[in-house]
């Protein structure tokens, strides 16, 4: 055993005792002596009196927890987890999932509940990701992924299971976004003709010269507005990069075409220069 590390051992219970350290504070200390073929080691649990009933001399258990030096300089397990030793461990001495626990429902209880679910339900799950996509991405089926996430044999298998589940979530999200994009592309929007002369007049009236990025962004926006489908575009940039003037260009072209436009910031002075009425949004 190495001090300061989480250790796992398969041991026999030699002795168990319960001591009330402070009757006033109701502090209970449970001690046990654990032994295997290499030697014996004490274990101690604080304020967990029920452990004195769960452990019996002669029990063969798997114990896991922090090993530290006690006051006498002896190594001991401090508040370790334990489970009866079996050929296949479920909670201790094995890879075990840790769930988001809720009131009076621990990860250990959830693992017990998941056991029959993985046997009866997981094999019947329908895989929504096409087989060719699974093969191209090197992913397992959703049934195998459920077992790998909840009862993995190795950490690599657990990682592969999580990757498969995460891929499906992102895959479905991407499909939903693509479906929405195609639906928008076939929808009917308000066509705003691309008035090149008006755009040039606006840029010449400015007390500064638009940057190349601003010109490109404005061109893309006006081109989209001239299409029959509704535009869905995000204009993104740092503070002070000139997003507002690009938005004003689009608004001017829309208003001059007989449509309406709105901006979050008050722009009445600039709008009046171009004989346009721009109403601020309610927000």
């Amino acid at each position: 055993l190495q001090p300061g590390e989480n250790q796992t051992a398969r041991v026999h219970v030699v002795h168990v005792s319960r001591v009330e350290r402070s009757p006033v504070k109701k502090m209970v200390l449970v001690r046990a002596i654990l032994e295997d073929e290499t030697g014996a080691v004490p274990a101690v649990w604080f304020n967990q009196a029920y452990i004195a009933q769960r452990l019996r001399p002669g029990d063969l258990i798997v114990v896991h927890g922090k090993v530290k030096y006690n006051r006498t300089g002896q190594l001991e397990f401090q508040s370790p987890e334990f489970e009866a030793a079996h050929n296949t461990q479920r909670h201790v001495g094995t890879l075990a999932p840790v769930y988001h626990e809720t009131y009076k429902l621990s990860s250990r209880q959830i693992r017990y509940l998941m056991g029959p679910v993985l046997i009866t339900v997981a094999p019947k799950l329908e895989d929504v990701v096409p087989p060719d996509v699974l093969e191209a991405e090197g992913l397992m089926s959703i049934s195998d992924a459920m077992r790998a996430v909840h009862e993995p044999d190795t950490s690599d298998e657990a990682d592969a299971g999580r990757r498969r589940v995460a891929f499906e979530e992102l895959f479905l999200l991407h499909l939903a976004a693509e479906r929405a994009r195609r639906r928008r592309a076939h929808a009917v929007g308000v066509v705003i003709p691309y008035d090149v002369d008006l755009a040039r007049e606006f840029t010449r009236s400015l007390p500064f010269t638009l940057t190349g990025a601003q010109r490109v962004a404005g061109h893309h926006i006006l081109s989209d507005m001239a299409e029959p489908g509704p535009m869905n575009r995000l204009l993104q940039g740092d503070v002070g990069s000139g997003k507002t003037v690009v938005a004003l260009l689009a608004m001017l072209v829309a208003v001059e075409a007989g449509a309406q436009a709105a901006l979050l910031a008050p722009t009445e002075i600039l709008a009046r220069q171009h004989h346009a009425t721009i109403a601020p949004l309610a927000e």
Side-chain angles (χ1 to χ4, degrees):
L1 297 178
Q2 300 298 320
E5 297 182 11
N6 285 313
Q7 309 274 273
T8 304
R10 187 183 180 95
V11 294
H12 282 95
V13 179
V14 178
H15 177 73
V16 181
S17 63
R18 167 179 167 169
V19 180
E20 291 193 11
R21 295 287 297 274
S22 174
V24 177
K25 297 182 179 181
K26 297 183 180 180
M27 182 180 293
V28 177
L29 191 68
V30 176
R31 290 185 178 275
I33 302 299
L34 312 175
E35 186 179 55
D36 67 3
E37 64 275 8
T38 68
V41 62
V44 60
W45 292 267
F46 301 94
N47 290 332
Q48 299 180 63
Y50 65 92
I51 291 179
Q53 281 73 48
R54 287 184 55 188
L55 289 177
R56 291 288 184 270
D59 288 349
L60 179 61
I61 64 172
V62 176
V63 63
H64 174 83
K66 184 78 72 174
V67 176
K68 296 182 179 180
Y69 285 113
N70 58 22
R71 294 181 179 180
T72 64
Q74 185 182 17
L75 286 175
E76 70 177 8
F77 278 101
Q78 295 188 359
S79 298
E81 296 182 77
F82 62 91
E83 179 186 12
H86 303 286
N87 292 331
T88 302
Q89 299 300 130
R90 180 181 292 271
H91 307 290
V92 182
T94 185
L95 285 173
V98 178
Y99 299 97
H100 293 288
E101 299 177 2
T102 185
Y103 180 67
K104 291 186 178 180
L105 191 61
S106 66
S107 286
R108 183 175 292 227
Q109 292 171 313
I110 297 175
R111 292 186 202 115
Y112 277 121
L113 296 173
M114 286 302 302
V117 174
L118 294 174
I119 295 174
T120 59
V121 179
K124 301 178 183 179
L125 291 176
E126 180 181 359
D127 216 322
V128 298
V129 181
D132 56 336
V133 175
L134 293 177
E135 183 179 359
E137 298 296 331
L139 299 172
M140 62 180 68
S141 68
I142 190 61
S143 297
D144 292 340
M146 288 297 100
R147 193 198 64 80
V149 168
H150 295 281
E151 291 184 354
D153 293 327
T154 66
S155 57
D156 289 341
E157 186 179 50
D159 291 339
R162 285 195 297 269
R163 179 173 178 267
R164 168 63 180 83
V165 174
F167 180 89
E168 180 172 314
E169 293 177 355
L170 295 176
F171 181 75
L172 294 177
L173 182 63
H174 181 76
L175 286 182
E178 178 62 18
R179 182 180 182 182
R181 186 192 68 80
R182 294 189 180 188
R183 189 161 49 240
R184 288 193 304 269
H186 291 86
V188 178
V190 178
V191 177
I192 306 296
Y194 191 159
D195 194 333
V196 178
D197 293 334
L198 179 62
R200 290 175 177 173
E201 180 185 355
F202 172 75
T203 56
R204 286 196 299 265
S205 69
L206 297 172
F208 53 86
T209 302
L210 293 182
T211 65
Q214 289 171 323
R215 291 178 180 276
V216 170
H219 170 72
H220 286 318
I221 291 174
L222 296 180
S223 297
D224 278 358
M225 292 168 58
E227 296 294 328
M231 180 177 66
N232 183 38
R233 182 176 290 276
L234 171 67
L235 181 61
Q236 180 176 343
D238 294 333
V239 175
S241 62
K243 299 183 295 295
T244 302
V245 71
V246 175
L248 286 174
L249 171 60
M251 295 170 66
L252 174 63
V253 173
V255 171
E256 289 295 330
Q260 291 183 333
L263 189 67
L264 288 174
T267 55
E268 294 181 353
I269 297 178
L270 185 60
R272 289 171 184 170
Q273 292 178 354
H274 296 281
H275 309 289
T277 301
I278 304 176
L281 292 179
E283 289 107 15

